[in-house]
Amino acid sequence: MGLNKMKQKKITIKDVAQLSGVSITTVSNILNQNTDRFTEATIQKVLAARDQLSYEPDYLAQRMVMKKSQTIGVLVPDVNNPFFSQLIKGIETILYEHQFVTLLCNADQDEAKETQYLKELERRGVDGYIIASSMVTNTAIDEIIRRKNHPYIVIDQKQADAYSDAVLIDDWAGGQLAAQHLKDCGHERIAMIFPAHPTKNVNRRIEGFQSVYDTSQLIFIHADLSKQSGRFAAQQLIQTDATAVFAANDEIAFGLYLGLDELGKSVPKDYSIVGFDNIEMAEYVKPQLTTIAQPIFQLGQTTAQLLIERINQSDKERQTITLPVQLIERFSTAHLK
Ligand code: RIB
């Protein structure tokens, strides 16, 4: 940076007031969109002075005056999983439209990290929170957010509570659809692959699945919601007499593809597989994955929209929106011969 530039005096609100011939309070009001009390001529004078001086309001000062940061904290368990990147994209699209900045925290499914992030977000004065992470305890939410009346919405892995708006996915129906599809294909022995300590949303998928099949027809294999875990689960799967699999998410299903291939098995000839999520990759693997589609992008959009409405009107009636799921039949499932 040149010496001249460094010496340049920082333009302040006082300079704008002087040039436009009005008070600092008037400039502050007009630049913060509180224009009701002023004539069009005064507003235009102030805006012209601001433009002429290239005045940029100081972010921290402005934040103190408006008591708003135009920032939303978003807490997810694993950005590595494309489900969450698509979810974030949906959230960010709406926040951007409304001039909010997304402050993203990847919690790595670590309770201490999640709580720490919540505290940090609060310290930074975010205007609201979207929490998709399951490990944050309700006590932490209570102490850090709710008691201070900060707007928040919990979604996906974190179960919605009675105090905030909610956007739900019909996970139960998803499990049922997956089971009915496998049943229609003639499968009688099914392996269900899901985490040893499933989150509430995954539990609802399991319950929906069990509404179609008798427990005696099911084999339970535990795996984290990851490709690596799915790959590993293939070893257990081939020890069973299952002919089909319901994987708790698409990532597990992709891992299974590889694991089964390494063990000389093929999909859907040896095992039919149904996933859950319908992340983009489901269409790009071979065979293309049959799965239960969650409206992931829409989940993000709807959540952000509800949160903004809550920020703008804190006393409005609490809303719960449930989004539907859909069976996407591709080529990883086949009729039992
Ligand atoms: O792939 C991530 C999974 O965890 C999804 O099914 C999502 O619903 C989350 O709970």
Side-chain angles (χ1 to χ4, degrees):
M1 189 188 289
L3 204 56
N4 276 346
K5 184 107 181 161
M6 279 174 67
K7 277 188 185 157
Q8 249 173 29
K9 176 175 151 298
K10 183 166 167 39
I11 303 295
T12 67
I13 194 165
K14 207 169 150 191
D15 301 315
V16 181
Q18 252 166 19
L19 184 64
S20 48
V22 298
S23 71
I24 291 177
T25 318
T26 301
V27 174
S28 164
N29 274 316
I30 289 175
L31 295 186
N32 286 314
Q33 266 102 50
N34 299 322
T35 51
D36 293 357
R37 291 185 291 121
F38 306 102
T39 63
E40 191 52 34
T42 309
I43 297 170
Q44 289 312 325
K45 228 176 0 177
V46 169
L47 296 183
R50 175 200 62 187
D51 293 346
Q52 192 182 327
L53 295 169
S54 303
Y55 169 68
E56 287 289 345
D58 179 76
Y59 170 74
L60 290 174
Q62 194 182 37
R63 197 175 110 178
M64 274 175 59
V65 173
M66 297 179 73
K67 298 199 168 41
K68 274 185 173 180
S69 61
Q70 289 300 114
T71 306
I72 301 293
V74 179
L75 202 59
V76 296
D78 178 13
V79 277
N80 237 350
N81 183 331
F83 172 89
F84 292 105
S85 21
Q86 217 172 321
L87 177 75
I88 294 160
K89 185 97 183 93
I91 293 172
E92 185 265 343
T93 308
I94 295 295
L95 293 185
Y96 181 75
E97 264 174 40
H98 290 80
Q99 287 95 42
F100 279 89
V101 168
T102 306
L103 189 46
L104 177 65
C105 301
N106 173 52
D108 279 335
Q109 295 168 18
D110 172 340
E111 185 186 329
K113 196 171 171 189
E114 294 191 0
T115 307
Q116 185 56 30
Y117 267 142
L118 274 196
K119 287 185 182 158
E120 275 303 320
L121 291 172
E122 206 242 336
R123 222 165 59 81
R124 278 153 215 263
V126 296
D127 298 324
Y129 304 76
I130 294 175
I131 302 168
S133 253
S134 61
M135 304 290 282
V136 178
T137 62
N138 289 342
T139 319
I141 291 185
D142 241 33
E143 281 168 10
I144 304 167
I145 308 178
R146 198 164 70 77
R147 277 191 215 159
K148 295 171 188 160
N149 278 328
H150 294 317
Y152 70 98
I153 300 186
V154 298
I155 50 168
D156 194 55
Q157 296 193 349
K158 183 79 195 150
Q159 186 159 34
D161 59 27
Y163 308 105
S164 63
D165 299 297
V167 188
L168 307 172
I169 291 287
D170 198 347
D171 286 284
W172 195 94
Q176 191 191 37
L177 279 173
Q180 196 53 57
H181 173 62
L182 291 176
K183 195 155 194 117
D184 294 344
C185 290
H187 294 279
E188 291 299 329
R189 289 287 280 163
I190 319 289
M192 294 178 75
I193 309 189
F194 56 87
H197 303 289
T199 48
K200 289 275 172 16
N201 60 339
V202 172
N203 248 326
R204 287 194 295 271
R205 293 170 201 175
I206 297 169
E207 285 163 13
F209 199 89
Q210 286 176 321
S211 72
V212 174
Y213 280 102
D214 191 76
T215 314
S216 63
Q217 297 177 278
L218 302 173
I219 297 149
F220 302 109
I221 297 176
H222 290 148
D224 295 338
L225 297 169
S226 69
K227 293 190 276 298
Q228 297 87 322
S229 223
R231 180 183 185 183
F232 197 64
Q235 291 168 18
Q236 262 179 278
L237 177 63
I238 60 159
Q239 314 292 330
T240 73
D241 60 352
T243 58
V245 174
F246 175 43
N249 73 345
D250 291 350
E251 289 277 274
I252 292 181
F254 298 151
L256 261 186
Y257 272 30
L258 178 62
L260 287 173
D261 184 66
E262 287 166 339
L263 296 166
K265 303 288 181 192
S266 76
V267 179
K269 191 165 118 329
D270 299 310
Y271 298 98
S272 279
I273 299 181
V274 182
F276 205 104
D277 285 352
N278 196 34
I279 54 177
E280 223 181 17
M281 274 299 290
E283 233 186 312
Y284 293 88
V285 287
K286 210 165 167 216
Q288 292 177 319
L289 182 67
T290 295
T291 190
I292 302 298
Q294 303 199 51
I296 311 172
F297 188 75
Q298 196 193 343
L299 171 64
Q301 286 184 307
T302 311
T303 307
Q305 189 65 48
L306 266 192
L307 186 67
I308 291 172
E309 286 170 19
R310 174 66 53 203
I311 291 169
N312 292 336
Q313 196 192 335
S314 60
D315 60 351
K316 92 177 180 37
E317 205 177 316
R318 201 170 62 81
Q319 238 184 302
T320 295
I321 297 174
T322 303
L323 300 174
V325 295
Q326 200 189 341
L327 171 73
I328 307 289
E329 206 178 323
R330 296 197 182 98
F331 301 104
S332 63
T333 46
H335 280 267
L336 198 61
K337 301 241 165 65

